[in-house]
Amino acid sequence: MVYRIGVDIGGTKIAAGLLDDNLDFVAISSIPFMRVGGEAVSAAVAAQIRGLLAEAGIGEQALQSIGVAVPGSLDAQEAVVLDAHNLGFHGEPLRAQMQAHFPAIPVYLANDANAAALGELHKGAFVGCQTAALLTLGTGLGGGLILNGRMFNGGRGNGIEVGHTVLVDGGEPCTCGIHGCSEAYCSATALIREANRALRANPAGMLHKETGGDPARMTAKLAIDCAKAGDAAAKQVFDAYVGHLGSVVVSIIHMLDPEVIAIGGGVCRAGDFLFDPLREDVRAKCFFGSYAKICAAQLGNEAGIIGAAMLHYNKAR
Ligand SMILES: [Zn+2]
């Protein structure tokens, strides 16, 4: 039996898993993320990995590889985290820092959205696919791409940033400093922003009632629930949201013609209430007779860990 470690470093926690040949979790753990720099984070992750091995009674020599996913950009050699804003990593040589703790085991790094797509390829919505795209609707709009059976990192290591493709020229401001990015229309944050505009415009509406008129209490789930319940203003917000998401999906279809587009993140918990009108919107805008299956991502929060664990395989092919 060969074992692999996948680590997903996020701004609040570090999740790590020990996976067997079948990509089943033998052990999994989570520790808080501290902004203490790459050296100290690597030491904490190394201790976490040793804890997983001890828990499973497995020796280090049985490990094939260690993969680490980070929410940020890497250099072309995939050795240095150039910029991971939420981690406070800027030019952090994370691969060497991790490798120092495990000299005999290959260590790989990846962007977390790309790793999530790779996870879906090996155990989720993309199994058997050659070309597939993953969109994650959360605080931002994340994207990962499988191209010709492998994780795609861009021609120069920056790809893909679907969240910062411009959807509306001169539109809503985005966190990146540009106006009109897809993220500014399709993230959960964007849905909340629009729901709060509707809240202010409709003091007698359900959005106002459910939040007590306090925009700070607005959530994506609350906005969706009000739309589901038939509140006109909330429905209008949700319909516009679905339309923007449909445009992003259609652009991906027209550009790449993938076999599957999977959508993950909290907004997806809306289920058919999201997917039915989304598929209808895509059907109306797409000029291909047949095109990508549009479905929910399958792995949830574990996608990044599983993908990180498979980085060795992605390299070795
Ligand atoms: Zn942007």
Side-chain angles (χ1 to χ4, degrees), residues 163-165 174-178 181-184:
H164 302 287
T165 56
C174 182
T175 52
C176 71
I178 306 286
C181 290
S182 301
E183 178 164 303

Side-chain angles (χ1 to χ4, degrees), residues 9-299:
I9 304 183
T12 55
K13 63 169 189 166
I14 303 172
L18 172 64
L19 287 84
D20 66 15
D21 273 342
N22 301 319
L23 296 186
D24 288 327
F25 283 92
V26 179
I28 186 164
S29 73
S30 179
I31 60 173
F33 175 80
M34 312 273 196
R35 287 172 76 103
V36 287
E39 290 277 2
V41 167
S42 294
V45 172
Q48 189 180 9
I49 290 170
R50 295 210 162 90
L52 293 174
L53 291 169
E55 183 190 332
I58 289 166
E60 230 175 273
Q61 73 285 347
L63 279 187
Q64 183 189 44
S65 65
I66 295 170
V68 182
V70 293
S73 56
L74 307 178
D75 69 332
Q77 285 70 46
E78 291 157 25
V80 178
V81 182
L82 294 179
D83 189 23
H85 192 72
N86 290 337
L87 309 184
F89 285 5
H90 304 283
E92 203 71 67
L94 189 65
R95 189 167 76 190
Q97 288 165 343
M98 282 298 303
Q99 195 72 73
H101 294 279
F102 300 97
I105 304 165
V107 174
Y108 301 93
L109 303 186
N111 167 271
D112 60 352
N114 291 345
L118 186 63
E120 294 286 346
L121 176 66
H122 286 285
K123 210 190 169 174
F126 302 156
V127 168
C129 285
Q130 289 295 307
T131 303
L134 174 68
L135 296 178
T136 306
L137 314 176
T139 309
L141 171 64
L145 182 65
I146 300 299
L147 207 53
N148 301 322
R150 296 179 64 153
M151 185 179 78
F152 180 71
N153 297 319
R156 304 186 328 121
N158 292 322
I160 61 174
E161 283 292 352
V162 70
H164 302 287
T165 56
V166 176
L167 186 62
V168 179
D169 210 14
E172 296 288 341
C174 182
T175 52
C176 71
I178 306 286
H179 282 72
C181 290
S182 301
E183 178 164 303
Y185 292 88
C186 300
S187 61
T189 311
L191 179 61
I192 291 167
R193 179 197 68 222
E194 292 303 313
N196 275 330
R197 283 179 182 163
L199 176 159
R200 291 186 194 96
N202 299 277
M206 191 182 277
L207 291 165
H208 199 280
K209 182 164 158 265
E210 292 296 320
T211 55
D214 180 4
R217 291 177 57 192
M218 184 67 73
T219 63
K221 181 179 186 305
L222 196 153
I224 292 166
D225 286 347
C226 288
K228 268 186 186 169
D231 178 74
K235 184 73 168 57
Q236 200 174 10
V237 166
F238 189 71
D239 288 349
Y241 177 85
V242 170
H244 285 123
L245 183 59
S247 294
V248 171
V249 169
V250 165
S251 296
I252 293 170
I253 290 173
H254 286 161
M255 207 175 301
L256 298 165
D257 188 23
E259 296 152 83
V260 176
I261 295 181
I263 301 177
V267 176
C268 283
R269 288 187 210 115
D272 290 343
F273 189 70
L274 171 70
F275 281 96
D276 287 346
L278 177 64
R279 291 187 185 110
E280 182 55 33
D281 188 82
V282 171
R283 192 195 59 74
K285 290 170 180 166
C286 184
F287 64 67
F288 296 158
S290 75
Y291 52 84
K293 174 184 164 191
I294 299 163
C295 63
Q298 290 179 10
L299 299 179

